[in-house]
Amino acid sequence: MNERSANVTVQRKQKWFKEVLFRQAVSAAIDRESVVRLVYRGLGDPIHVPVTQGNALWRNTNLRVGGHSLEDARKLLRHSLFTWNNGVLIDRDGQPVAFSILVSASSSQRVRIATIVQDDLRQLGMQVSVVAIDSRAAQDRILNRQDYEAAIMGLASGDADPNSDMNVWVLNGSLHMWNMSSDSTDWEKEIDRLMRQQMITASYRKRKELYDRVQELVSERLPIICIASPHILVGASARVQRFQPAVLRPYALWNADELHLKNAKPAR
């Protein structure tokens, strides 16, 4: 395959993911409960937006999201004029839907997630391969070269506040990876406006309203398809007093000045 034909192939595959019904179908096909059970041994939560159960201060509890449903996924694909031929999903140009999922080989959990997603999408007739490469090479292909079709990544910040995710949601953000061009959609512009507005708003209530709307748009438009969030587990001896784990780092030592051992003898 020469460079020109390879570029045409990549553009066709990226075109699928630019269709919201296709993204919604992929999301509906992913069995998030199985990911939590098989990858995190039940110690996690399925998610549809990048705001987890632990972030009660900012999570939009009014979101209505669908569960795992291959039937719903097939309906969405039919509405987007996809068809099937001997079980293989075919796009409106008569091409089979086949693409790769890029993942860092150093993360065994993400490789397993990619394998589960691969199996889920195969049930829709998609021909999906998992490509596990060095983490630096994966990051370069995703963030710098945009040389990928789909990828499994971890998005996490050190703060529960929405401002920590500005580089994901604003149009010129370094992690606005699904669209690094200047050709943005109306809903992307709305997310950009909402995020910039909440950043300069003093009232928590008003900021929460703005960020709730961001979560609504993300759950509807699915610029990224969120899958699962693992629980954070910390432990200490029963002798440790004032042990109060936090939801942010450092989970166990944020109040290190208050920690002490029960019945500990005073130092001489």
Side-chain angles (χ1 to χ4, degrees):
M1 182 181 293
N2 59 40
E3 183 176 349
R4 183 173 181 274
S5 61
N7 186 51
V8 170
T9 300
V10 170
Q11 288 179 347
R12 184 180 73 248
K13 294 178 180 182
Q14 291 177 345
K15 181 181 177 181
W16 300 329
F17 285 97
K18 289 181 179 179
E19 298 182 26
V20 65
L21 291 180
F22 183 83
R23 298 195 300 271
Q24 290 173 349
V26 169
S27 179
I30 296 175
D31 189 348
R32 292 168 172 81
E33 297 286 351
S34 290
V35 171
V36 170
R37 185 178 70 256
L38 298 174
V39 178
Y40 299 121
R41 299 184 180 181
L43 300 175
D45 296 300
I47 58 173
H48 290 79
V49 293
V51 184
T52 64
Q53 297 278 355
N55 193 355
L57 194 63
W58 293 102
R59 187 167 63 94
N60 185 346
T61 57
N62 295 318
L63 283 181
R64 287 187 172 87
V65 293
H68 169 58
S69 173
L70 291 174
E71 181 180 354
D72 289 346
R74 292 188 179 97
K75 288 179 180 178
L76 289 163
L77 291 170
R78 290 190 187 97
H79 289 162
S80 196
L81 302 181
F82 286 82
T83 57
W84 284 265
N85 183 8
N86 294 325
V88 176
L89 186 64
I90 306 296
D91 68 14
R92 62 176 62 92
D93 296 321
Q95 299 295 325
V97 176
F99 58 88
S100 62
I101 299 177
L102 192 66
V103 64
S104 170
S106 63
S107 174
S108 60
Q109 290 181 333
R110 293 178 196 169
V111 171
R112 286 154 65 192
I113 292 173
T115 303
I116 293 172
V117 172
Q118 176 190 43
D119 184 65
D120 289 339
L121 298 183
R122 278 179 176 170
Q123 296 181 60
L124 289 180
M126 300 183 189
Q127 302 171 38
V128 180
S129 59
V130 175
V131 178
I133 62 176
D134 174 78
S135 60
R136 290 185 179 180
Q139 185 175 3
D140 178 62
R141 285 182 59 175
I142 295 168
L143 298 179
N144 299 326
R145 296 160 52 193
Q146 289 85 58
D147 179 22
Y148 71 104
E149 295 155 5
I152 298 290
M153 296 183 64
L155 284 178
S157 62
D159 199 324
D161 191 276
N163 288 342
S164 62
D165 293 327
M166 290 294 290
N167 60 344
V168 176
W169 303 119
V170 297
L171 296 177
N172 61 347
S174 60
L175 291 178
H176 195 77
M177 64 198 77
W178 65 90
N179 185 4
M180 306 291 274
S181 70
S182 58
D183 184 17
S184 55
T185 60
D186 289 341
W187 59 266
E188 286 177 292
K189 293 176 182 176
E190 184 178 359
I191 289 177
D192 180 277
R193 178 185 62 78
L194 292 166
M195 289 299 295
R196 294 183 188 276
Q197 182 63 37
Q198 67 80 30
M199 185 173 60
I200 60 174
T201 299
S203 165
Y204 163 74
R205 182 186 62 80
K206 182 59 178 175
R207 288 187 69 202
K208 180 68 164 57
E209 291 177 1
L210 295 167
Y211 195 51
D212 278 356
R213 176 57 181 158
V214 170
Q215 294 175 65
E216 288 177 10
L217 288 168
V218 172
S219 67
E220 294 167 2
R221 297 293 179 169
L222 296 174
I224 56 179
I225 297 174
C226 300
I227 299 176
S229 173
H231 292 166
I232 301 298
L233 304 179
V234 296
S237 168
R239 294 183 61 202
V240 178
Q241 302 297 290
R242 300 286 295 173
F243 182 64
Q244 300 172 356
V247 297
L248 299 176
R249 296 175 181 173
Y251 307 111
L253 299 176
W254 68 274
N255 63 333
D257 59 316
E258 298 179 348
L259 299 177
H260 62 278
L261 294 177
K262 183 178 181 181
N263 300 326
K265 296 180 180 180
R268 293 181 180 179

